[in-house]
Amino acid sequence: MDVNAAVAAAAAIAGVLTGVIAMLAFRWSERDQKRPTRTSLHTDPVLPPGVDTVLSVLRSSAVVLDEADAVVKASSAAYALGLVRGGKLSIEPMLQMARDTRRDGEIRQVELDLPRRGSGRGEALAVSARVAPLGSRLVLLLVEDLTEARRIEAVRRDFVANVSHELKTPVGALSLLSEAVMDASDDPEAVERFAGRMQIEATRLTNLVQELIDLSRVQNDDPLEDAESVQVDELVAEAMDRCRHQAGTKQITMATNVGVPEGLDQGGGGRRAGGTADLHVWGNRGQLAAALGNLVENAVNYSPARTRVGIAARRVSAPGGDMIELAVTDQGIGISDKDKERIFERFYRVDPARSRATGGTGLGLAIVKHVVASHGGEVTVWSAEGQGSTFTLRLPEAAAARDRAFQHPDPGLDDEAGPTEPSPYEPLPSPEVLP
């Protein structure tokens, strides 16, 4: 009995010990699961609730950094700007800002110039960087691209400076001439001469103000609100009639393949050289007439005497619908390659002395560019020095334009030159004296 009792007691003790050991093992396992492992210490921190959603809708480039300066979250715009590379913030000044903010919790902001990725022209991106703490462990970096805003501001600044300069010239001339008239009040011939000069300067000032108004109107108004089907032959006839006097004075012949009214074949008015089918474009008649008129007027003003200016129209196929091309070709002085890059800028003149002599303001081609762009078209130029130039307007045909939704670019204040390409029209013969 003693032996059996001892065995039973030993078995009971062993069972109790086994239970205790099992319970301790279970408790130890739970504690071990809750203890951070070496791997878990290096996992990405979890963003605070709602932050990920907010960052996804921001227009700014967003980067979230942890305490080790590793990127926890970055928007696609941040990668596009080259802010993040290899999981790290690649801009050292921004990285230093993040470290300082993490240390003292202060919000910091700075403007920087960054090298443009993939550009061999050495251009820089202007950005504004703002760093703020995000919780106790994370730092948020927001970067705004200011490049376009700075470019527009520079264009506005140059525009104001150019307007001031252009207005000062005729106003100053009028002031001096009026003083000369007063001093020569007893000399009728001098008064008549000075009065003639005053009239010229007053006309130049009037033209400048009017073209500034026209440019402002085509920039701010939507031409498609009052759009209509406009006959191309009427636009051509109006443009030729507008320049008939200047062409007749210089004995310049204007030729077109578009039907024009009779009676425009005298005094440099124009003559029909063939014919085209009835062509229509869709848009604001007044703006389209002004754009084509500016091109024809430039062609006449910059052409030598007794040469020819041609106006051609044709229908061309395009993926979104048929387009109408209007080309104005002259035998003038031509445009150099470097000038072709800038001719659509406001107040830019290829030959300033010649422009002032002809009364040009330097706004005509800028108006042409904005009118065509707002109508969903484009303007191109072909030119060779000493051989002449061809300006081509490409506009949607009326039927095609009504059937599709326009998504025309807003010309805004973009003053870069339009594209240049070889002229699709056969150039006029080289300048020569016509019989």
Side-chain angles (χ1 to χ4, degrees), residues 267-291:
R271 60 191 182 194
R272 187 168 180 174
T276 60
D278 194 23
L279 303 178
H280 293 77
V281 292
W282 185 256
N284 184 291
R285 178 186 176 85
Q287 292 189 13
L288 293 173

Side-chain angles (χ1 to χ4, degrees), residues 46-48 51 64-65 101-102 105 132-140:
V46 178
L47 291 175
V51 172
V64 178
L65 304 175
T101 297
R102 188 184 300 111
L134 187 63
S136 59
R137 301 173 56 191
L138 305 179
V139 174
L140 172 63

Side-chain angles (χ1 to χ4, degrees), residues 285-326:
R285 178 186 176 85
Q287 292 189 13
L288 293 173
L292 182 61
N294 284 346
L295 292 183
V296 176
E297 186 174 12
N298 281 352
V300 172
N301 288 337
Y302 286 92
S303 293
R306 306 190 68 182
T307 55
R308 186 173 65 168
V309 170
I311 308 172
R314 67 175 183 176
R315 179 187 291 109
V316 295
S317 299
D322 289 347
M323 306 286 284
I324 301 299
E325 285 189 352
L326 283 163

Side-chain angles (χ1 to χ4, degrees), residues 25-37:
F26 178 76
R27 292 288 182 85
W28 183 269
S29 175
E30 282 187 336
R31 290 178 58 189
D32 191 60
Q33 289 178 1
K34 293 180 180 180
R35 182 183 303 166
T37 62

Side-chain angles (χ1 to χ4, degrees), residues 148 151-152 156 215-223 346 369-377 406-415:
E148 185 67 12
R151 189 189 66 80
I152 292 177
R156 290 183 186 274
L215 181 59
S216 176
R217 182 180 296 117
V218 300
Q219 284 180 327
N220 298 325
D221 294 347
D222 184 358
R346 301 177 182 90
K369 175 188 173 183
H370 284 283
V371 168
V372 176
S374 64
H375 281 75
F406 274 111
Q407 293 181 348
H408 57 270
D410 181 7
L413 291 172
D414 182 8
D415 283 319

Side-chain angles (χ1 to χ4, degrees), residues 120-360:
R121 295 177 292 177
E123 296 179 352
L125 289 172
V127 299
S128 174
R130 185 178 179 86
V131 180
L134 187 63
S136 59
R137 301 173 56 191
L138 305 179
V139 174
L140 172 63
L141 170 67
L142 295 177
V143 179
E144 188 77 22
D145 188 356
L146 304 178
T147 307
E148 185 67 12
R150 284 192 179 181
R151 189 189 66 80
I152 292 177
E153 181 59 31
V155 170
R156 290 183 186 274
R157 194 165 50 246
D158 292 343
F159 179 71
V160 172
N162 287 331
V163 168
S164 301
H165 173 74
E166 294 295 332
L167 289 174
K168 280 174 57 180
T169 301
V171 169
L174 286 172
S175 177
L176 293 174
L177 288 169
S178 64
E179 293 179 4
V181 169
M182 293 178 62
D183 294 338
S185 57
D186 56 347
D187 186 351
E189 293 183 2
V191 170
E192 184 178 357
R193 183 171 67 254
F194 291 142
R197 290 292 305 166
M198 291 177 68
Q199 188 175 12
I200 293 174
E201 295 299 334
T203 301
R204 177 178 298 173
L205 182 60
T206 301
N207 293 338
L208 176 58
V209 172
Q210 183 59 50
E211 291 203 348
L212 285 172
I213 294 172
D214 293 341
L215 181 59
S216 176
R217 182 180 296 117
V218 300
Q219 284 180 327
N220 298 325
D221 294 347
D222 184 358
L224 302 182
E225 290 183 357
D226 301 318
E228 60 179 323
S229 178
V230 182
Q231 285 187 305
V232 172
D233 58 351
E234 293 180 359
L235 293 177
V236 173
E238 186 173 337
M240 295 174 68
D241 187 58
R242 168 179 169 177
C243 304
R244 179 170 52 177
H245 176 71
Q246 297 96 309
T249 301
K250 299 175 67 174
Q251 299 182 24
I252 291 177
T253 301
M254 289 193 289
T256 180
N257 70 335
V258 182
V260 296
E262 297 296 333
L264 292 181
D265 57 350
Q266 300 293 329
R271 60 191 182 194
R272 187 168 180 174
T276 60
D278 194 23
L279 303 178
H280 293 77
V281 292
W282 185 256
N284 184 291
R285 178 186 176 85
Q287 292 189 13
L288 293 173
L292 182 61
N294 284 346
L295 292 183
V296 176
E297 186 174 12
N298 281 352
V300 172
N301 288 337
Y302 286 92
S303 293
R306 306 190 68 182
T307 55
R308 186 173 65 168
V309 170
I311 308 172
R314 67 175 183 176
R315 179 187 291 109
V316 295
S317 299
D322 289 347
M323 306 286 284
I324 301 299
E325 285 189 352
L326 283 163
V328 179
T329 303
D330 63 59
Q331 297 174 294
I333 59 177
I335 307 170
S336 66
D337 291 336
K338 67 179 182 67
D339 287 324
K340 279 191 289 188
E341 299 298 325
R342 301 188 59 190
I343 56 175
F344 292 98
E345 295 179 13
R346 301 177 182 90
F347 298 109
Y348 185 79
R349 299 179 177 93
V350 174
D351 186 350
R354 188 183 185 96
S355 295
R356 293 191 183 277
T358 58

